[in-house]
Amino acid sequence: MTSSHIKVLQITEYLNDSAVSPFYFFQRFSNLQKLKMVDCNFKEFSPYEGDFGEERDVVTMLPRINKLTLQGVDQMTHLWKQGSPLNHICANLETLKVYECGNLISLSCSSSSFQNLTTFEVWDCKEMVELITSSKAQYLERLVSLTIGGCEMMREVIASDGDQATYHEIIFREFKFLKLDGLQNLKSFCSGNHTLKLPSLVEVTVNACPRMENFCQGRLSTPKLHKVQLTETDFEGRWAGDLNATIEQSNTE
């Protein structure tokens, strides 16, 4: 099988001394659909390395994948940076999974990388304090499932950007499943005076989030939601009339 026929690729223990990932390597995988990187030590994604840096048309020759998994990429602090080749590679991204990236502070994703995203998972990223800003959250139009666990420093999932007067109406029309687990410092899912509309949300699990004060500080609409599960096996769940009230009640008991 030639590299052009490969659709699934896993790179494990890329321990090159270079601080960047040389993305020109991926040119040969023109039909690549799924990419997984495990225990790699690069600090950022870049299409350039050494003298090859002048060949800037390399980005347009890279494949576009629909699933990206990063696990144990401990040296990276920001996933996307301005000019990153990931903006091209992930333009059709449907699934993003980020596990055990101990120094990752921010995803800093471009809006184009979110437009087709349906499944989003983040686990054990100990330094991450927020998942996404309110302005970029608006582009998660196709999100169906979101899972966040073990991110001990996370204070909010959707954080306000700009000044406090900035207002956004955030609508996740396809969003159905949410799991928040072991977020010891989480205070709110969505901070700031924003309107959050989740017309398809039917399943919410909130486990071991002891400091969570509310779900949304602004207006909130979840017409199909009728319970919040406190564990995955808590099928009966609880409900205090609305999602905000249920979160508040569960954490005062």
Side-chain angles (χ1 to χ4, degrees):
M1 179 183 295
T2 64
S3 56
S4 62
H5 288 87
I6 293 175
K7 295 183 177 180
V8 180
L9 177 65
Q10 176 169 319
I11 300 175
T12 302
E13 295 187 359
Y14 180 89
L15 302 177
N16 190 294
D17 290 336
S18 172
V20 302
S21 171
F23 260 80
Y24 62 81
F25 165 75
F26 294 105
Q27 288 182 83
R28 69 192 72 177
F29 303 101
S30 56
N31 289 302
L32 191 64
Q33 296 179 3
K34 298 179 182 180
L35 174 62
K36 183 175 184 178
M37 298 185 179
V38 181
D39 296 333
C40 299
N41 69 348
F42 45 79
K43 295 181 179 180
E44 63 180 283
F45 294 115
S46 172
Y48 323 124
E49 187 179 69
D51 294 337
F52 197 85
E54 298 303 318
E55 303 295 331
R56 297 182 178 272
D57 60 345
V58 64
V59 173
T60 61
M61 299 170 65
L62 294 171
R64 289 190 170 184
I65 61 175
N66 56 41
K67 182 176 182 179
L68 174 64
T69 302
L70 300 176
Q71 181 175 348
V73 186
D74 282 335
Q75 301 302 314
M76 188 178 300
T77 58
H78 297 80
L79 182 54
W80 267 261
K81 289 188 175 182
Q82 187 174 5
S84 169
L86 277 184
N87 295 332
H88 172 86
I89 285 182
C90 295
N92 298 328
L93 198 65
E94 296 175 2
T95 299
L96 175 59
K97 298 183 178 182
V98 183
Y99 305 142
E100 301 167 0
C101 296
N103 287 305
L104 190 64
I105 298 172
S106 170
L107 297 178
S108 299
C109 302
S110 69
S111 57
S112 62
S113 301
F114 285 147
Q115 291 177 348
N116 295 300
L117 201 64
T118 62
T119 303
F120 201 169
E121 295 184 10
V122 180
W123 283 97
D124 297 323
C125 294
K126 306 297 185 183
E127 297 298 319
M128 189 177 291
V129 296
E130 63 189 44
L131 183 70
I132 191 173
T133 60
S134 55
S135 60
K136 291 184 178 179
Q138 300 175 85
Y139 294 95
L140 285 167
E141 298 174 350
R142 298 186 180 182
L143 187 67
V144 174
S145 174
L146 174 62
T147 301
I148 308 173
C151 299
E152 298 172 357
M153 298 298 292
M154 185 170 288
R155 295 193 296 266
E156 51 208 351
V157 176
I158 301 175
S160 288
D161 49 354
D163 57 53
Q164 292 299 315
T166 302
Y167 168 82
H168 295 294
E169 181 176 80
I170 303 169
I171 306 175
F172 297 162
R173 299 188 187 281
E174 309 296 327
F175 188 38
K176 295 181 179 180
F177 310 107
L178 172 66
K179 180 179 179 181
L180 305 174
D181 190 357
L183 307 179
Q184 298 297 317
N185 285 291
L186 187 71
K187 292 188 175 183
S188 180
F189 180 86
C190 180
S191 66
N193 186 30
H194 307 300
T195 293
L196 183 60
K197 295 182 178 181
L198 311 173
S200 300
L201 187 64
V202 293
E203 184 176 309
V204 173
T205 302
V206 179
N207 179 42
C209 301
R211 298 187 179 182
M212 197 169 180
E213 299 171 356
N214 54 53
F215 190 85
C216 178
Q217 294 180 3
R219 296 181 62 186
L220 174 65
S221 174
T222 60
K224 292 187 177 180
L225 188 67
H226 302 295
K227 67 178 180 181
V228 174
Q229 297 175 231
L230 301 183
T231 65
E232 287 187 340
T233 56
D234 175 27
F235 300 112
E236 183 177 346
R238 64 174 62 196
W239 192 243
D242 62 63
L243 183 51
N244 266 337
T246 305
I247 295 296
E248 293 168 7
Q249 183 186 83
S250 63
N251 281 344
T252 55
E253 295 177 355

